[in-house]
Each structure stands twice: as structure tokens, then as C-alpha cells.
Amino acid sequence: MAQVETFYYDNAIVRKFAYATMLWAVVGMLVGLIAAFQLIWPELNLGIPYTTFGRIRPLHTNAAIFAFVGNGIYMGVYYSLQRLLKTRMFSNVLSNIHFWGWQSIIVMAAVTLPLGITSAKEYAELEWPIDIAIALVWVVFGINMFGTILKRRENHMYVAIWFYIATWITITVLHICNNIEIPVSATKSYNIFAGVQDALVQWWYAHNAVAFFLTTPYLGLMYYFLPKAANRPIYSYKLSIIHFWALIFIYIWAGPHHLLYTSLPDWAQSLGTVFSVMLIAPSWGGMLNGLLTLRGAWDRVRQDPVLKFMVVAITAYGMATFEGPMLSIKSVNAISHYTDWTIGHVHIGTLGWNGFLTFGILYWLIPRMFNTKLYSLKLANVHFWIGTLGIAFYAIPLYFAGWVQSLMWKEFTPDGFLKYGNFLETVTQIMPMYYIRALGGTIYFIGTLVMIYNLIKTIRQGEFIGDEAAEAPARLATDNVHKGEHWHRWIERRPIQMLIASAILILIGGLVEITPMVMIESNVPKIASVKPYTPLELHGRDLYIREGCLGCHSQMIRPFRSETERYGEYSKSGEFIYDRPFLWGSKRTGPDLHREGGKYPDSWHYNHMVDPQSMSPGSIMPPYPWMLRDEMNLSTLPRKIKVLTMLGTPYPQGYEDQAVADLKKQAAEIAGRLRIDGVKDSKLEKREIVALIAYLQRLGTDIKPKPATN
Amino acid sequence: MYKYILESAGSINWMAISALLTFVTIFVVSAAMAFRSTPAYLNKMSNLPLDDSILQTSETDFRHEEK
């Protein structure tokens, strides 16, 4: 037997990430709560742009995913990796660069998103300098993780580590592919993909951010911390092997289920549906493996809050992974898409699966690192029950709201007219559900505060063990001692080979779906009448992006009679070829805007932005007074035209020099029409609102005869 | 040539079929390797999270392949 070595686990870095996940949990949930209350009282933005729903919604999602869950992942990975491999982390310096780098990125996100600096791609909103910072910090994490694996004392890599490896390589691929963009300035860039292609790449990314950031690393944590907390091995290691390989292969294909009935080619939609349905099998395999680990220990679940949290987390994982495939079936998706059903679904995942598993791990981890007992089991049990209630109060009303609103959208009178032709009728109907949702979010948030109080008291009564002593034998050279062994044992002892195998598997799905979309022109038929945006419309479009309008308004009319009756002709893929980024959206808190152009006079839009309720009684859209006040900043316009020309938008040669003059000309025309309708502002043609109106009046008009604009 | 193959994506559904075949292959291979694993190996692997250090490990259940 090899010589036994003494070494120390680094708990200091685990503690840092644990504190960070607690801090960002509060921030992320608080911003989410504010957003939920703004849907009831729009004036809660206090009349300032930085706190308006469109800007803080991405702040909430980014904080919840990358700050709260992200730090939760690192906390669990840094703790479990060392112990599973019987070694300290590869480098204290890299651990700390990773920690402080990640927190800096979160702070940059918290500053830039309220400022309206966004690339408008859901869950990838951060602009290019921050994207580069994310890539660098992620590589530091990777070097530290693989360095640790390479200097391990344990020959075999436990299944949790496979999940960590798959997470690392897949997030690397997704982040790079979805953020290939050409900078216009330090705070603005245009994506190299446009329209439908951009949509496919984006949702391939976004779905797999759910898969490989919110799921696979947490499955790794489940496979480590559940056996730890239950003090018994995982139910079936065989099942975990199948779970891992099947899950990572299937997950990567499912992205197109976010684009059913859109302008995405049918074959891509079908692939998304088929693989989403297949996902039930490995997902439920993993869930059952987790729950069955507790066989014979259910008496302990009744008493131990850690196990309670974990059981509900795994159950929520099972619910979400059953619901996800169901929502990917086209006929179900026809009802669920654009509604609050989706919001309810994702919160079962984040509040239940990610939230509760993180809480369970924190309750288990903090007392151990501080060599003490949990301050109050009673408080932890209180947290468990109010957290569970919070999830129920959050999600159930949203399911109900989704069904009600969608069915109202689709209901016709016996004479063949839409029964609820005014979109707002369907909004006011579900307002009570929004109240209950906000209540549910508040309850869940209070539970989190109770946990933090409990953990702070635990920390204060204990003594931190920064370097935890451990002993293990040195690793033996294994090159020749395993002749004739099973090949899988060979690969799971070799991290680099495991990395390559995982990469090949996840790349198959991505390449097969995306390559034809990007390379084959017939997948996006061109429409001759579709022209590039004018400089003023382009500027208005970038303001639409800045304000996060796509958080509430879609620009994708599906080919249903209920939609074409309400909005107009269904959307064609050829209409989006100059859209960088695409702005189809994923939720209709307000109506679709793809055929908005020419529906109302310019002055209607002007007055609507001053006070939405005055034009649309009962509307929950906030006012945008700053757009009427602020002047357009045109300093980057020539560069924007230049970049778009480079990417293939057919502006005339040298048009960047002409763009500002053309913009002013069009702005003067719109200002003139507004003045005729009684708008009094001597600088009207310089205001941002004029650009926004130009963009809204252009939407969807390329393929229909141009109506009078006033 | 590659464009010709890719152009046919929409008409012959070869992508869905190849995707399904790839998945079945992966599933069968991973199931085979799971079921061909020895009980000693599975026992050792599933107990890994429970052993942070040999200070907490029984002498009988670690590094089974050296025995």
C-alpha cells in the first residue's frame, strides 16, 4: 500500500462562495420581488429608468442564475471536489481569482443592466467586455478544477465530477458561440447572426444554460451531498452512469422547443420536441436515484431539515423535468408559450430545485465548517415550511394565470370574432393571480432571511476550520496495473479523455441543429420587399433594446387564427434577416408588436409612452417620461452602420457618412406630424421618443401595403 | 457536396433518424458499461462521498483493486 499522506482541505474558499451565494440570494430575490410588485403597481419604478421593469427583469434573472446559483455551484464544487479526490485545490491563487473575478462580473452586471446596457439575449444580456471577463474567469475555474483532478490521490472520479466536467466544457462552448459579436463601442455590439439564425443559437444557448448551469452541476452536488446528508451511498451507481451519458447527450438538442410555431424551420422544431420528450427518461432516472437513496431513512427525513430541503428539491426537479417535455409538445406549447405558465415552470426549477438544494447544502455545510451544530433546528424547519408554501403560492397562481389568459386569447364568438379583442381584458382578468404570486415570492424571501439569520448565529457560535486536516494514501501509477479492465473504468480515471468525450457528445447536437441553419440559405427564404432599417429606426430599435421592451412584448406572430385575427399576418423568417439581435421575446405581458407599424398614429405612441393608462385603461405598462425628455445620442451611429454593413446589411457604400443627416430628416418628418397633433416641444426632433416611434411604425410593414401614418 | 447533403435536411428527415440512432448507441453503450461493472467497483464508487479521509474510512472498503 502507498504511503499515507497528510494534507489540508481548503475551506476558506468554500466559505467565501457560501457567503456570496447567501448575499446574492437576497439581492436576486429582492429584485425579483420588486419586479413582481411592479406588475401590480407599475408606478413602483418611481419614474426613473434604472428601476423600470424592462431593465430589472434581466437583473433579476442574471442575479438568480449566475450570482445566487452560480456561487452555490462553486461552493459545492470546491467542497466536494477536494474530498472526492482526496486533495487540496490545485491553487489558492486561482481559487481567489475565480472568486473575486466572478463577484466583479456580478457587480458589473448589476451596474450595466439597470443602465440599459444589454445585448437583449435572454440570460446572456451582458455586453461584450463582460462576456470576455466571464470567459477568462471561467477558464481560471477550469484550470483550477482540472489541476485539482490531475493531482488527485483517488484514482477514480466519482460521477459528481463527471457532471462538473460536462458542465465546464458545455458552458464554455455555449458562452462562446452565443456571444460572437462585433463591438460598436465599449457598451454596444451587434451579433454576427441575425433573425432566425440568431434565435436558434440564442435558444440553443438559453436552454442549455438551464441544462448545464442550473441542472448538471446541481446533479453533481446532489450525487455528493445527498449521500453525505443521508449518510448512505447513492441508491444505484449503475443508474448514475446511464443518467450522466444519456442526459448530457439529449439535453443539448432540446433548445428549439422554445421556438415552436415560430419562423424556425419545421425540422428544427421537430428535433427540439423529440429530444425534449426523450429527456424525461434520464431526468427521472436521476430523480429516482436521488429519492431511492433515502430508502429506509425516511424517518430521518421527518426530523432533519437538510434532508427535507433535499427531498423537496429533488421532487421539484422531477416535476420540472416532467413538465418541460410536456410543454415541448406542440399542442401544449401552443397554449403555454408567451404566458405565465412558463414563468411558473421555471420557478419550480429555480425556487424548488436550485433554491432548496442550495439551502439544504448550506444547512449541512456551515455547521461542519464551523465545527458546531446548527443554531436552531426549529428555525430551519420553519424556513422549510414557509419556503415550500412560498413556492406553491408563487407557482400555482401563475399556472392558472397562464391557462386563463391563453384560453382567453384563443376564444372566438359564435360569429367568428375574437371574444376578447382587447388584449387588456385578458390582463385585468389575471391580476388577482399576480397579487398571489407576489405574496408567494414574499413568503419565500422571508424564508431565505430566516435561513440567513440562522446561519449567521451558527457561524458566530462556532469556530471556523480554514484548513481541514485529512489523510489519504498517495496515488499509485496505474498505467500497467489495469490490463484487461473495463474501458469505462479507464475513461473515468482520465479527466482529459472524459472532457473530450463529453465535448464530442454535446457538440453533435449543436452542430447538427445549427450548421444547416447558418449555411443553407433556403432555410431562411429572402423577401424582396424587406429592407434594412433606416438610421432613425435603427436608433429606435436600440432604444427598444435598452428599455427591455422585449421582456413584455413579443415580435413573433404564430400561424394561429387567434393570433392573425388579433395581430395580423403571421411572421415570416425572411422578415428578420436584418434583425441583430432578433427580438421575438418569450412572454406577452403586453400584446405582440410585430405588426404594430401603421396601426396607430404617431401621436398615439407619444401619448402612450407619456402615460400608458391614458391610452389603454388598465394597462400595467410603466410610463417612460425620460424618452420624451432625453435627446438622442448619435455619436455611435456611423460606427453602427459600418458594423452592420460589414455583417452583410446592404446599406449603400459609405452610408455611414450620410446616416446622421438621413436620421435628422426622418426625425423632422415625425416631429412635424406630432406637432400637428398638438405635441408642444421645440426640440421634438431631437428626442429619443421620435426614434422609438419611427421603429414601432416600421415594425412588420415591409410585407404589407404602407398605410397612412397619421 | 456538403451543401447538397445539408440541403436535403428538410425533406428526408435524416437528421432526426441519425440523432435517434446516435442516442440509442450511446444509451446502449452506457447501459452496457454500467451493467458490466463489478460489484466491488460499484461499491467502492458509491461509497466515495462518504470517505473524506482515511481517518474516517474503514480499512476494508478503500482501494479495492489493490487487494
Side-chain angles (χ1 to χ4, degrees):
Chain A
M1 190 170 122
Q3 190 183 350
V4 172
E5 296 173 338
T6 303
F7 56 97
Y8 297 91
Y9 294 128
D10 179 8
N11 282 347
I13 189 66
V14 180
R15 177 177 63 169
K16 280 183 181 143
F17 280 117
Y19 287 178
T21 197
M22 288 193 267
L23 169 71
W24 295 118
V26 173
V27 174
M29 289 175 203
L30 186 61
V31 177
L33 261 189
I34 295 170
F37 278 104
Q38 284 183 351
L39 286 174
I40 304 168
W41 297 297
E43 59 275 15
L44 264 183
N45 71 346
L46 308 174
I48 43 178
Y50 315 113
T51 53
T52 301
F53 183 87
R55 297 196 192 192
I56 65 166
R57 179 192 173 268
L59 181 64
H60 162 61
T61 52
N62 277 272
I65 297 171
F66 300 110
F68 167 49
V69 175
N71 280 301
I73 293 169
Y74 303 138
M75 166 186 74
V77 169
Y78 275 79
Y79 187 88
S80 60
L81 195 67
Q82 299 183 72
R83 284 156 179 85
L84 286 170
L85 299 173
K86 309 282 187 293
T87 184
R88 192 181 173 88
M89 285 307 294
F90 172 63
S91 159
N92 288 352
V93 175
L94 289 183
S95 297
N96 281 296
I97 292 175
H98 177 202
F99 176 79
W100 290 110
W102 196 256
Q103 309 318 312
S104 311
I105 288 163
I106 295 166
V107 172
M108 283 192 276
V111 171
T112 55
L113 292 172
L115 286 173
I117 299 168
T118 169
S119 62
K121 305 191 80 171
E122 283 188 65
Y123 322 126
E125 286 92 348
L126 304 176
E127 264 297 353
W128 67 272
I130 310 178
D131 287 339
I132 292 173
I134 292 171
L136 292 175
V137 173
W138 191 252
V139 168
V140 166
F141 170 48
I143 294 171
N144 208 12
M145 182 167 76
F146 283 99
T148 309
I149 294 172
L150 291 174
K151 69 166 204 160
R152 68 195 186 276
R153 291 187 176 81
E154 170 57 57
N155 263 332
H156 294 281
M157 291 190 300
Y158 183 64
V159 68
I161 299 171
W162 312 357
F163 278 104
Y164 303 156
I165 291 174
T167 298
W168 188 84
I169 183 62
T170 314
I171 292 294
T172 305
V173 172
L174 293 169
H175 179 69
I176 292 171
C177 291
N178 194 38
N179 289 297
I180 307 174
E181 48 214 5
I182 309 291
V184 170
S185 67
T187 56
K188 177 74 190 166
S189 61
Y190 287 122
N191 225 269
I192 64 156
F193 300 117
V196 180
Q197 294 164 348
D198 191 32
L200 181 61
V201 175
Q202 155 62 21
W203 282 110
W204 171 73
Y205 160 86
H207 177 77
N208 287 301
V210 173
F212 288 89
F213 204 84
L214 299 176
T215 307
T216 54
Y218 265 63
L219 285 169
L221 299 187
M222 177 193 85
Y223 276 118
Y224 179 78
F225 284 100
L226 183 67
K228 272 291 202 204
N231 199 27
R232 55 186 57 221
I234 194 74
Y235 170 67
S236 166
Y237 198 75
K238 285 179 190 171
L239 185 53
S240 73
I241 296 173
I242 302 170
H243 178 205
F244 172 79
W245 290 109
L247 191 85
I248 67 161
F249 177 76
I250 296 179
Y251 238 135
I252 204 82
W253 296 76
H257 69 212
H258 291 262
L259 299 169
L260 299 181
Y261 288 113
T262 67
S263 304
L264 190 75
D266 208 40
W267 61 263
Q269 296 186 31
S270 300
L271 274 184
T273 298
V274 168
F275 276 89
S276 300
V277 173
M278 284 163 67
L279 255 179
I280 293 179
S283 301
W284 273 50
M287 176 195 68
L288 292 172
N289 212 0
L291 290 179
L292 289 172
T293 298
L294 296 169
R295 76 206 180 286
W298 287 95
D299 53 319
R300 285 189 50 215
V301 177
R302 279 207 303 274
Q303 292 151 4
D304 185 354
V306 171
L307 289 179
K308 281 185 198 172
F309 274 107
M310 290 184 175
V311 165
V312 172
I314 297 166
T315 309
Y317 172 65
M319 285 164 61
T321 53
F322 175 75
E323 191 186 14
M326 293 304 107
L327 292 172
S328 306
I329 294 169
K330 283 182 99 170
S331 47
V332 179
N333 193 270
I335 298 169
S336 73
H337 196 47
Y338 296 131
T339 74
D340 288 298
W341 189 349
T342 311
I343 319 298
H345 165 65
V346 298
H347 280 84
I348 290 289
T350 44
L351 300 177
W353 166 237
N354 297 114
F356 267 36
L357 197 63
T358 309
F359 301 152
I361 293 171
L362 280 168
Y363 280 124
W364 185 87
L365 202 55
I366 296 285
R368 273 162 187 77
M369 288 201 302
F370 285 83
N371 198 25
T372 183
K373 285 195 177 320
L374 188 63
Y375 169 69
S376 167
L377 272 180
K378 203 172 177 182
L379 274 182
N381 278 316
V382 168
H383 175 203
F384 170 76
W385 284 111
I386 58 178
T388 306
L389 265 183
I391 297 173
F393 271 86
Y394 187 100
I396 294 168
L398 287 189
Y399 288 132
F400 193 68
W403 300 330
V404 167
Q405 192 174 32
S406 188
L407 294 177
M408 288 177 82
W409 288 343
K410 290 174 183 297
E411 190 166 350
F412 283 91
T413 63
D415 301 325
F417 297 104
L418 283 172
K419 185 166 182 190
Y420 304 98
N422 182 354
F423 187 91
L424 272 173
E425 286 179 276
T426 71
V427 177
T428 48
Q429 184 70 28
I430 60 170
M431 285 310 290
M433 301 299 120
Y434 282 3
Y435 282 89
I436 304 173
R437 180 262 292 271
L439 173 71
T442 307
I443 295 172
Y444 191 90
F445 181 62
I446 291 170
T448 306
L449 295 180
V450 169
M451 175 194 74
I452 289 174
Y453 171 77
N454 200 359
L455 292 179
I456 289 174
K457 296 294 274 185
T458 307
I459 288 164
R460 286 202 173 154
Q461 76 186 11
E463 195 174 338
F464 182 60
I465 308 166
D467 293 308
E468 187 181 325
E471 288 184 347
R475 186 157 73 105
L476 295 173
T478 55
D479 286 349
N480 297 315
V481 297
H482 289 281
K483 284 216 168 99
E485 70 178 351
H486 192 272
W487 71 270
H488 189 257
R489 283 205 221 161
W490 179 85
I491 196 171
E492 56 86 0
R493 282 205 320 275
R494 284 165 177 76
I496 304 302
Q497 286 86 337
M498 178 69 93
L499 174 79
I500 294 166
S502 305
I504 292 170
L505 278 195
I506 60 110
L507 283 172
I508 292 173
L511 288 173
V512 170
E513 281 182 351
I514 292 170
T515 313
M517 278 303 297
V518 175
M519 298 185 70
I520 304 303
E521 289 186 358
S522 64
N523 275 318
V524 187
K526 284 203 167 54
I527 301 171
S529 59
V530 174
K531 304 288 183 215
Y533 294 105
T534 66
L536 187 65
E537 291 158 3
L538 183 68
H539 192 74
R541 191 172 198 275
D542 287 338
L543 294 174
Y544 184 97
I545 290 169
R546 184 189 74 184
E547 298 304 334
C549 303
L550 75 157
C552 292
H553 295 282
S554 58
Q555 289 187 20
M556 169 51 64
I557 301 164
R558 297 176 293 175
F560 302 138
R561 184 165 162 255
S562 59
E563 299 213 355
T564 54
E565 284 290 308
R566 185 182 297 278
Y567 303 117
E569 180 69 15
Y570 69 88
S571 305
K572 318 283 190 297
S573 56
E575 293 183 82
F576 303 101
I577 56 172
Y578 303 123
D579 282 16
R580 290 173 204 276
F582 81 110
L583 297 175
W584 295 358
S586 58
K587 172 73 173 66
R588 285 179 185 155
T589 304
D592 188 281
L593 298 179
H594 191 215
R595 303 280 174 224
E596 188 70 2
K599 262 191 185 170
Y600 305 103
D602 295 344
S603 55
W604 186 94
H605 288 292
Y606 187 92
N607 291 321
H608 187 246
M609 298 304 282
V610 174
D611 180 10
Q613 283 80 13
S614 71
M615 308 306 286
S616 311
S619 167
I620 52 172
M621 178 169 147
Y624 288 79
W626 57 92
M627 298 199 81
L628 283 68
R629 194 176 58 223
D630 295 346
E631 295 186 10
M632 289 182 264
N633 177 359
L634 303 177
S635 58
T636 55
L637 184 64
R639 168 84 184 148
K640 283 181 184 175
I641 300 288
K642 211 170 176 177
V643 169
L644 289 174
T645 308
M646 189 173 83
L647 289 170
T649 307
Y651 289 115
Q653 203 176 5
Y655 188 65
E656 59 270 20
D657 301 326
Q658 178 66 30
V660 174
D662 279 4
L663 179 146
K664 287 180 177 170
K665 193 172 158 221
Q666 192 184 3
E669 289 167 11
I670 293 174
R673 289 199 292 270
L674 288 173
R675 287 198 178 99
I676 291 170
D677 281 358
V679 177
K680 290 183 173 54
D681 180 354
S682 60
K683 288 187 174 174
L684 200 49
E685 41 280 277
K686 292 186 178 175
R687 305 294 186 202
E688 287 182 339
I689 185 73
V690 173
L692 185 71
I693 291 172
Y695 173 60
L696 292 174
Q697 294 289 28
R698 169 68 186 275
L699 278 175
T701 54
D702 280 352
I703 64 163
K704 67 177 180 182
K706 222 174 176 83
T709 52
N710 214 0
Chain B
M1 176 62 188
Y2 72 92
K3 281 210 169 191
Y4 173 77
I5 295 170
L6 292 174
E7 287 276 11
S8 62
S11 55
I12 60 165
N13 290 326
W14 66 271
M15 284 189 176
I17 292 163
S18 65
L20 187 67
L21 289 176
T22 319
F23 169 71
V24 170
T25 309
I26 289 179
F27 184 82
V28 168
V29 169
S30 63
M33 66 199 189
F35 285 98
R36 286 186 57 198
S37 299
T38 62
Y41 166 78
L42 292 168
N43 183 45
K44 178 202 161 56
M45 293 306 287
S46 55
N47 276 295
L48 269 180
L50 304 177
D51 309 330
D52 285 354
S53 161
I54 60 165
L55 296 171
Q56 300 164 23
T57 309
S58 76
E59 278 296 316
T60 53
D61 69 356
F62 84 100
R63 301 176 76 80
H64 66 94
E65 46 303 37
E66 289 167 29
K67 285 184 237 168

